[in-house]
Amino acid sequence: MSEKQKIIQQMLQMQKQFIAKEHEGGIESEDYYADDGEGVLSGYHQKYSELANQLIDLAHQEKGSRR
């Protein structure tokens, strides 16, 4: 599996966990943005953003372009 595929799989898994928590009623909108380090989404926003940026960088590298 390529690095891009691994990142995409990790992001999809994170999304599934997020949706499951949301359906359980355990997530408020501030839980996503205001990470206090203790909530159900602790570090989620930061980690997901890092993965998205890695994916963008790999795509640019693959195409020979830059941001």
Coordinates of all heavy atoms in Angstrom, one line a residue:
M1 N 0.9 -1.2 0.0 CA 0.0 0.0 0.0 C 0.9 1.2 0.0 O 1.8 1.3 0.8 CB -0.9 0.0 1.2 CG -1.9 1.1 1.3 SD -3.0 1.1 2.7 CE -3.7 -0.5 2.7
S2 N 0.5 2.2 -0.8 CA 1.3 3.4 -0.9 C 1.1 4.3 0.3 O 0.2 4.1 1.0 CB 1.0 4.2 -2.2 OG -0.2 4.8 -2.1
E3 N 2.0 5.2 0.4 CA 1.9 6.2 1.6 C 0.6 7.0 1.5 O 0.0 7.2 2.5 CB 3.1 7.1 1.5 CG 3.2 8.1 2.7 CD 3.5 7.4 4.0 OE1 4.0 6.3 4.1 OE2 3.1 8.1 5.1
K4 N 0.3 7.4 0.3 CA -1.0 8.1 0.1 C -2.2 7.3 0.5 O -3.1 7.8 1.2 CB -1.2 8.6 -1.4 CG -0.5 9.8 -1.7 CD -0.6 10.3 -3.2 CE -1.7 9.8 -3.9 NZ -1.8 10.3 -5.3
Q5 N -2.2 6.0 0.1 CA -3.3 5.1 0.5 C -3.4 4.9 2.0 O -4.5 4.9 2.6 CB -3.2 3.8 -0.2 CG -3.4 3.9 -1.7 CD -3.1 2.6 -2.4 OE1 -2.1 1.9 -2.0 NE2 -3.8 2.3 -3.4
K6 N -2.2 4.8 2.7 CA -2.2 4.7 4.1 C -2.8 5.9 4.8 O -3.6 5.8 5.7 CB -0.8 4.4 4.6 CG -0.2 3.1 4.3 CD 1.2 3.0 4.7 CE 1.8 1.6 4.3 NZ 3.2 1.5 4.6
I7 N -2.4 7.1 4.3 CA -3.0 8.3 4.9 C -4.5 8.4 4.7 O -5.2 8.7 5.6 CB -2.2 9.5 4.3 CG1 -0.8 9.6 4.8 CG2 -2.9 10.8 4.7 CD1 0.1 10.6 4.1
I8 N -4.9 8.1 3.5 CA -6.3 8.1 3.2 C -7.1 7.2 4.1 O -8.2 7.5 4.6 CB -6.6 7.9 1.7 CG1 -6.1 9.0 0.8 CG2 -8.1 7.6 1.4 CD1 -6.0 8.8 -0.7
Q9 N -6.6 6.0 4.2 CA -7.3 5.0 5.1 C -7.3 5.5 6.5 O -8.4 5.3 7.2 CB -6.5 3.6 5.0 CG -6.7 2.9 3.7 CD -8.2 2.6 3.4 OE1 -8.9 2.2 4.3 NE2 -8.6 2.8 2.2
Q10 N -6.3 6.1 7.0 CA -6.3 6.6 8.4 C -7.3 7.7 8.5 O -8.0 7.8 9.5 CB -4.9 7.1 8.7 CG -4.7 7.5 10.2 CD -3.3 7.8 10.6 OE1 -2.4 7.7 9.7 NE2 -3.1 8.1 11.8
M11 N -7.4 8.6 7.5 CA -8.3 9.7 7.5 C -9.8 9.2 7.5 O -10.7 9.7 8.2 CB -8.1 10.7 6.4 CG -6.8 11.5 6.5 SD -6.4 12.4 5.1 CE -7.6 13.8 5.3
L12 N -10.0 8.1 6.7 CA -11.4 7.6 6.6 C -11.7 6.9 7.9 O -12.9 7.0 8.4 CB -11.4 6.5 5.5 CG -11.4 7.1 4.1 CD1 -11.3 6.0 3.0 CD2 -12.6 7.9 3.8
Q13 N -10.8 6.3 8.6 CA -11.1 5.6 9.9 C -11.4 6.7 10.9 O -12.3 6.5 11.7 CB -9.9 4.8 10.3 CG -10.1 4.1 11.6 CD -11.2 3.1 11.5 OE1 -11.5 2.5 10.5 NE2 -11.9 2.9 12.6
M14 N -10.7 7.8 10.9 CA -10.9 8.9 11.8 C -12.3 9.5 11.6 O -13.1 9.8 12.5 CB -9.9 10.0 11.7 CG -8.5 9.6 12.2 SD -7.3 10.9 12.0 CE -7.8 12.1 13.2
Q15 N -12.7 9.6 10.3 CA -14.0 10.1 10.0 C -15.1 9.2 10.5 O -16.2 9.6 11.0 CB -14.2 10.3 8.5 CG -13.4 11.5 7.9 CD -13.5 11.6 6.4 OE1 -14.0 10.7 5.7 NE2 -13.0 12.7 5.9
K16 N -14.9 7.9 10.3 CA -15.9 6.9 10.8 C -16.1 7.0 12.3 O -17.2 6.9 12.8 CB -15.5 5.5 10.4 CG -15.6 5.2 9.0 CD -15.1 3.8 8.6 CE -15.2 3.5 7.1 NZ -14.6 2.2 6.8
Q17 N -15.0 7.1 13.0 CA -15.0 7.3 14.5 C -15.8 8.6 14.9 O -16.6 8.6 15.8 CB -13.6 7.3 15.1 CG -12.9 5.9 15.0 CD -11.5 6.0 15.4 OE1 -10.9 7.1 15.6 NE2 -10.9 4.8 15.7
F18 N -15.5 9.6 14.2 CA -16.1 10.9 14.4 C -17.6 10.8 14.2 O -18.4 11.2 15.1 CB -15.6 12.0 13.5 CG -16.2 13.3 13.7 CD1 -15.6 14.2 14.6 CD2 -17.3 13.7 13.0 CE1 -16.2 15.5 14.8 CE2 -17.9 15.0 13.2 CZ -17.3 15.9 14.1
I19 N -18.0 10.2 13.1 CA -19.5 10.0 12.8 C -20.2 9.1 13.8 O -21.3 9.4 14.3 CB -19.6 9.5 11.4 CG1 -19.2 10.6 10.3 CG2 -21.1 9.0 11.1 CD1 -19.1 10.0 8.9
A20 N -19.5 8.1 14.2 CA -20.1 7.2 15.3 C -20.3 8.0 16.6 O -21.4 7.8 17.2 CB -19.1 6.0 15.5
K21 N -19.3 8.8 17.0 CA -19.5 9.6 18.2 C -20.6 10.6 18.0 O -21.4 10.8 19.0 CB -18.2 10.3 18.6 CG -17.1 9.4 19.1 CD -17.5 8.9 20.5 CE -16.4 8.1 21.1 NZ -16.7 7.5 22.4
E22 N -20.7 11.2 16.9 CA -21.7 12.2 16.6 C -23.1 11.5 16.7 O -24.0 12.1 17.2 CB -21.5 12.8 15.2 CG -22.4 13.9 14.9 CD -22.0 14.5 13.5 OE1 -21.7 13.8 12.6 OE2 -22.0 15.7 13.4
H23 N -23.2 10.3 16.1 CA -24.5 9.7 16.2 C -24.9 9.2 17.6 O -26.1 9.1 17.9 CB -24.5 8.5 15.2 CG -24.6 8.9 13.8 ND1 -25.4 8.3 12.9 CD2 -24.0 9.9 13.1 CE1 -25.3 8.9 11.7 NE2 -24.4 9.8 11.8
E24 N -23.9 9.0 18.4 CA -24.2 8.6 19.8 C -24.6 9.8 20.6 O -25.1 9.7 21.7 CB -22.9 8.0 20.4 CG -22.5 6.7 19.9 CD -21.1 6.3 20.5 OE1 -20.5 7.0 21.3 OE2 -20.6 5.2 20.0
G25 N -24.4 11.0 20.0 CA -24.8 12.2 20.7 C -23.7 12.7 21.7 O -23.9 13.5 22.5
G26 N -22.5 12.2 21.5 CA -21.4 12.5 22.4 C -20.5 13.6 21.9 O -19.4 13.9 22.5
I27 N -20.9 14.4 20.9 CA -20.1 15.4 20.4 C -20.8 16.7 20.2 O -22.0 16.8 19.7 CB -19.5 15.0 19.0 CG1 -18.6 13.8 19.1 CG2 -18.8 16.2 18.3 CD1 -18.1 13.3 17.8
E28 N -20.2 17.8 20.7 CA -20.7 19.1 20.6 C -19.8 19.8 19.6 O -18.6 19.4 19.4 CB -20.7 19.9 21.9 CG -21.5 19.3 23.0 CD -23.0 19.5 22.8 OE1 -23.4 20.5 22.2 OE2 -23.8 18.6 23.2
S29 N -20.3 20.8 18.9 CA -19.4 21.5 17.9 C -18.2 22.0 18.5 O -17.1 22.0 17.8 CB -20.2 22.6 17.2 OG -20.7 23.5 18.1
E30 N -18.2 22.5 19.7 CA -17.0 23.1 20.3 C -16.0 22.0 20.6 O -14.8 22.2 20.8 CB -17.3 23.9 21.6 CG -18.0 23.2 22.7 CD -19.5 23.4 22.7 OE1 -20.0 24.1 21.8 OE2 -20.2 22.9 23.6
D31 N -16.4 20.7 20.7 CA -15.5 19.6 21.0 C -14.5 19.5 19.8 O -13.4 19.1 20.0 CB -16.2 18.3 21.1 CG -17.0 18.2 22.4 OD1 -16.7 18.9 23.4 OD2 -18.0 17.4 22.4
Y32 N -15.0 19.8 18.6 CA -14.1 19.7 17.4 C -13.1 20.8 17.4 O -11.9 20.5 17.1 CB -15.0 19.7 16.2 CG -14.2 19.5 14.9 CD1 -13.7 18.3 14.5 CD2 -14.0 20.6 14.1 CE1 -12.9 18.2 13.4 CE2 -13.3 20.5 12.9 CZ -12.7 19.2 12.5 OH -12.0 19.1 11.4
Y33 N -13.5 22.0 17.6 CA -12.6 23.1 17.5 C -11.8 23.5 18.7 O -10.7 24.0 18.7 CB -13.4 24.3 16.9 CG -13.9 24.1 15.5 CD1 -15.2 23.8 15.3 CD2 -13.0 24.2 14.5 CE1 -15.6 23.6 14.0 CE2 -13.4 23.9 13.2 CZ -14.7 23.6 12.9 OH -15.2 23.4 11.7
A34 N -12.4 23.4 19.9 CA -11.8 23.9 21.1 C -11.3 22.6 21.9 O -11.9 22.2 22.8 CB -12.8 24.6 22.0
D35 N -10.2 22.1 21.5 CA -9.6 20.9 22.1 C -9.0 21.3 23.4 O -8.0 22.0 23.5 CB -8.6 20.3 21.2 CG -8.0 19.0 21.7 OD1 -8.5 18.5 22.7 OD2 -7.0 18.6 21.0
D36 N -9.6 20.7 24.5 CA -9.0 20.9 25.8 C -8.0 19.8 26.2 O -7.5 19.8 27.4 CB -10.1 21.1 26.9 CG -10.9 19.8 27.0 OD1 -10.7 18.8 26.3 OD2 -11.9 19.8 27.8
G37 N -7.8 18.8 25.3 CA -6.9 17.7 25.6 C -7.5 16.6 26.4 O -6.9 15.6 26.7
E38 N -8.8 16.7 26.7 CA -9.5 15.7 27.5 C -10.8 15.2 26.9 O -11.3 14.2 27.4 CB -9.8 16.3 28.9 CG -8.6 16.7 29.7 CD -8.9 17.3 31.0 OE1 -10.1 17.2 31.5 OE2 -8.0 17.9 31.6
G39 N -11.3 15.8 25.9 CA -12.5 15.4 25.3 C -12.4 14.2 24.4 O -11.3 13.6 24.2
V40 N -13.6 13.8 23.9 CA -13.6 12.6 23.1 C -12.9 12.8 21.8 O -12.5 11.8 21.1 CB -15.1 12.2 22.8 CG1 -15.8 11.7 24.0 CG2 -15.9 13.3 22.1
L41 N -12.7 14.0 21.4 CA -11.9 14.3 20.1 C -10.6 15.0 20.4 O -10.1 15.7 19.6 CB -12.8 15.3 19.3 CG -14.1 14.7 18.7 CD1 -14.8 15.8 18.0 CD2 -13.8 13.5 17.8
S42 N -10.0 14.7 21.5 CA -8.7 15.2 21.9 C -7.7 15.0 20.8 O -7.4 13.9 20.4 CB -8.2 14.6 23.2 OG -7.0 15.1 23.5
G43 N -7.2 16.1 20.2 CA -6.2 16.0 19.2 C -6.7 15.7 17.8 O -5.9 15.7 16.8
Y44 N -8.0 15.5 17.7 CA -8.6 15.1 16.4 C -8.3 16.1 15.3 O -7.8 15.8 14.2 CB -10.1 14.8 16.5 CG -10.7 14.4 15.2 CD1 -10.9 13.0 14.9 CD2 -11.3 15.3 14.3 CE1 -11.5 12.6 13.7 CE2 -11.9 14.9 13.2 CZ -12.0 13.6 12.8 OH -12.5 13.2 11.7
H45 N -8.7 17.3 15.6 CA -8.6 18.4 14.6 C -7.1 18.6 14.1 O -6.9 18.7 12.9 CB -9.1 19.7 15.1 CG -9.3 20.8 14.2 ND1 -8.3 21.8 14.0 CD2 -10.2 21.1 13.2 CE1 -8.7 22.6 13.1 NE2 -9.8 22.2 12.6
Q46 N -6.2 18.6 15.0 CA -4.8 18.8 14.7 C -4.3 17.6 13.9 O -3.6 17.8 12.9 CB -4.0 18.9 16.0 CG -2.5 19.0 15.8 CD -2.1 20.3 15.1 OE1 -2.8 21.3 15.2 NE2 -1.0 20.3 14.5
K47 N -4.6 16.4 14.3 CA -4.1 15.2 13.6 C -4.7 15.1 12.2 O -4.0 14.8 11.3 CB -4.5 13.9 14.4 CG -4.0 12.6 13.8 CD -2.5 12.5 13.7 CE -2.1 11.2 13.2 NZ -0.7 11.1 12.9
Y48 N -6.0 15.4 12.1 CA -6.6 15.3 10.8 C -6.0 16.3 9.8 O -5.7 16.0 8.7 CB -8.1 15.5 10.9 CG -8.9 15.0 9.7 CD1 -9.2 13.7 9.6 CD2 -9.2 15.9 8.7 CE1 -9.9 13.2 8.4 CE2 -9.9 15.5 7.5 CZ -10.2 14.1 7.4 OH -10.9 13.7 6.3
S49 N -5.7 17.5 10.3 CA -5.1 18.6 9.5 C -3.7 18.2 9.1 O -3.3 18.4 7.9 CB -5.1 19.9 10.3 OG -6.3 20.4 10.5
E50 N -3.0 17.6 10.0 CA -1.6 17.1 9.7 C -1.7 16.1 8.5 O -0.9 16.1 7.6 CB -0.9 16.5 10.9 CG -0.5 17.6 11.9 CD 0.0 17.0 13.2 OE1 0.1 15.7 13.3 OE2 0.2 17.7 14.1
L51 N -2.6 15.1 8.7 CA -2.7 14.1 7.6 C -3.1 14.7 6.3 O -2.6 14.3 5.2 CB -3.7 13.0 8.1 CG -3.3 12.1 9.2 CD1 -4.5 11.3 9.7 CD2 -2.1 11.2 8.8
A52 N -4.0 15.6 6.3 CA -4.5 16.3 5.1 C -3.3 17.0 4.4 O -3.1 16.9 3.2 CB -5.6 17.2 5.4
N53 N -2.5 17.7 5.2 CA -1.3 18.4 4.7 C -0.3 17.4 4.1 O 0.3 17.7 3.1 CB -0.7 19.3 5.7 CG -1.5 20.6 5.9 OD1 -2.0 21.1 4.9 ND2 -1.6 21.0 7.1
Q54 N -0.1 16.3 4.8 CA 0.8 15.3 4.2 C 0.3 14.8 2.9 O 1.1 14.6 1.9 CB 0.9 14.1 5.2 CG 1.7 14.4 6.4 CD 1.7 13.2 7.4 OE1 1.3 12.1 7.0 NE2 2.1 13.4 8.6
L55 N -1.0 14.6 2.8 CA -1.6 14.1 1.5 C -1.4 15.1 0.4 O -1.1 14.7 -0.7 CB -3.0 13.8 1.8 CG -3.8 13.0 0.7 CD1 -3.1 11.6 0.5 CD2 -5.2 12.8 1.1
I56 N -1.6 16.3 0.7 CA -1.4 17.4 -0.3 C 0.0 17.5 -0.7 O 0.3 17.6 -1.9 CB -1.9 18.8 0.3 CG1 -3.4 18.8 0.5 CG2 -1.4 19.9 -0.6 CD1 -3.9 20.0 1.3
D57 N 1.0 17.4 0.2 CA 2.4 17.4 -0.1 C 2.8 16.2 -1.0 O 3.5 16.4 -2.0 CB 3.2 17.4 1.1 CG 3.1 18.7 1.9 OD1 2.7 19.7 1.3 OD2 3.5 18.7 3.1
L58 N 2.3 15.1 -0.7 CA 2.5 13.9 -1.5 C 2.0 14.0 -2.9 O 2.6 13.7 -3.9 CB 2.0 12.6 -0.9 CG 2.7 12.1 0.3 CD1 2.0 11.0 1.0 CD2 4.1 11.6 0.0
A59 N 0.8 14.6 -3.0 CA 0.2 14.8 -4.3 C 1.0 15.8 -5.2 O 1.2 15.6 -6.4 CB -1.3 15.3 -4.2
H60 N 1.4 16.9 -4.6 CA 2.3 17.8 -5.3 C 3.6 17.2 -5.7 O 4.1 17.4 -6.8 CB 2.5 19.1 -4.4 CG 1.4 20.1 -4.4 ND1 1.1 20.8 -5.5 CD2 0.6 20.4 -3.4 CE1 0.1 21.6 -5.2 NE2 -0.3 21.4 -4.0
Q61 N 4.2 16.4 -4.8 CA 5.5 15.8 -5.1 C 5.3 14.8 -6.3 O 6.1 14.8 -7.2 CB 5.9 15.0 -3.9 CG 7.3 14.4 -4.0 CD 7.7 13.7 -2.7 OE1 6.8 13.1 -2.0 NE2 8.9 13.7 -2.4
E62 N 4.2 14.1 -6.3 CA 3.9 13.1 -7.3 C 3.7 13.8 -8.7 O 4.2 13.3 -9.7 CB 2.6 12.4 -7.0 CG 2.3 11.2 -7.9 CD 1.0 10.5 -7.3 OE1 1.2 9.7 -6.4 OE2 -0.1 10.8 -7.8
K63 N 3.1 15.0 -8.7 CA 2.9 15.7 -9.9 C 4.0 16.7 -10.3 O 4.0 17.3 -11.4 CB 1.5 16.5 -9.9 CG 0.3 15.6 -9.8 CD 0.2 14.9 -11.1 CE -1.0 14.0 -11.1 NZ -1.1 13.2 -12.3
G64 N 4.9 16.9 -9.4 CA 6.0 17.8 -9.7 C 5.6 19.2 -9.5 O 6.3 20.1 -10.1
S65 N 4.6 19.5 -8.8 CA 4.1 20.9 -8.6 C 4.5 21.3 -7.2 O 5.1 20.6 -6.4 CB 2.6 21.0 -8.9 OG 1.9 20.2 -8.0
R66 N 4.1 22.5 -6.8 CA 4.3 23.0 -5.5 C 3.1 23.8 -5.0 O 2.3 24.3 -5.8 CB 5.6 23.8 -5.4 CG 5.7 25.0 -6.3 CD 7.1 25.6 -6.3 NE 7.3 26.4 -7.5 CZ 7.2 27.7 -7.4 NH1 7.1 28.4 -6.3 NH2 7.4 28.5 -8.5
R67 N 3.1 24.0 -3.7 CA 2.0 24.8 -3.2 C 2.1 26.3 -3.5 O 3.1 26.8 -3.6 CB 1.9 24.7 -1.7 CG 1.4 23.4 -1.2 CD 1.3 23.4 0.3 NE 0.7 22.2 0.8 CZ 0.0 22.0 1.9 NH1 -0.3 23.1 2.6 NH2 -0.4 20.9 2.2

